[in-house]
Amino acid sequence: MSAPSGASLPRMRRFHAALSTASAPTVIIAWVAIVTLAVVSSACVALHPPPPRTADQFVPGERALVDLDRLAQLRARADAQPDALELQWRAATAHVQATLRGHVDQRDHAERYLERAWHIDPEGDEVPAARVLARLLNMRSSVMDLDKLDLQIELYRSLLHDDTPAGQNPTDAQQFQFASFIAATEALASYDQGRTLAALRQLNALERAMQRRASAHPDDIDSSAMAGNFELTFAGVIPVGVDKRLRRGIDYLEVQQDHWQHLSPHARDTARAPNVRSVFALFLAEALLARAEVEAAADRYAQLIALDDQPDTAPRAQIVALARHRLANLDAYAGARELLPPWPSGVTGCVACHSREAELPTDDLHLLPGVVLR
């Protein structure tokens, strides 16, 4: 995975150095830099820039989860005819699938062929390259790699219809989600340009828009899932208003978990993302435990373990092992804010939702000293 751009690294160093000497209001404002990063993705979020993830962290040893020779053949064919949409799309989708299964070193290839497909078919008349690429770029922005942030904003804007009145949020669920991602990426862009106050205002506006959406459209479960994930991230990175955001995030995800069958079919498609319900169920349980709602957390961990319609996958086995560990040690973890944002996050979160065979790195998972999950 690429590191943050050279332009952004000095600013990040200055930002972290300023935290040690700034006044309390300055610290609060400065924290928005990390927050606006986190909202760029859904399950793929991270608090601090983690070490770059490599394929061997998810696929240890010499084994491969995909046919790497076939990927090389698809690249060769696509590169030989760069204006052939079908070849670009075929190469792109194969590399996206490989990336999400755990071969994260294939992400750059996936981006390249998706971008070619988008330039060939910018309106998406034949393939949804803009939507897929915009979402895939979350794997960058969620770990503070801002190299393609402008492209991500452009992609999301291209997906937003022109019939929404100025100053209003779309009423269509998917359009609202696109608008939310635009708001998030624009806030991150404001921070990257040194305009932290503007970024904070944009973030607050996004939170208000999500609250209005939930009130006006309680049946929009997909947006509740997005809002819950955003709020749990905010709770983990903004040093004030933590309990308020944590409570809102819990409320949103309780709606999602308790009305799972009302999610859009794409959002709960186990063929595409076999572990997505387990991941979000874990997010909710971890949030409740972070808020010291021990009995409610115990119920949610137990529900996660008891889910009987989940594919038997390696990531789910890790998630279930973690849930059992938490259940056995509830009091030791109760109220621990290190549980926020919930694991798995960043690139690991993307792989956790989509892979059947990958092993999830746990170096960023909050555990008691000496604990190793089995």
Side-chain angles (χ1 to χ4, degrees), residues 123 155-156 171 206 216 225 246-247 253 264 318 320:
E123 299 300 321
L155 288 163
Y156 276 124
T171 56
L206 173 59
L246 185 52
R247 182 66 258 172
L253 289 192
S264 64
Q318 287 182 265
V320 168

Side-chain angles (χ1 to χ4, degrees), residues 174-194:
Q174 187 178 65
Q175 288 290 295
F176 174 75
Q177 291 157 31
F178 290 153
S180 298
F181 281 118
I182 291 171
T185 50
E186 288 180 341
L188 180 54
S190 293
Y191 161 70
D192 192 44
Q193 296 162 8

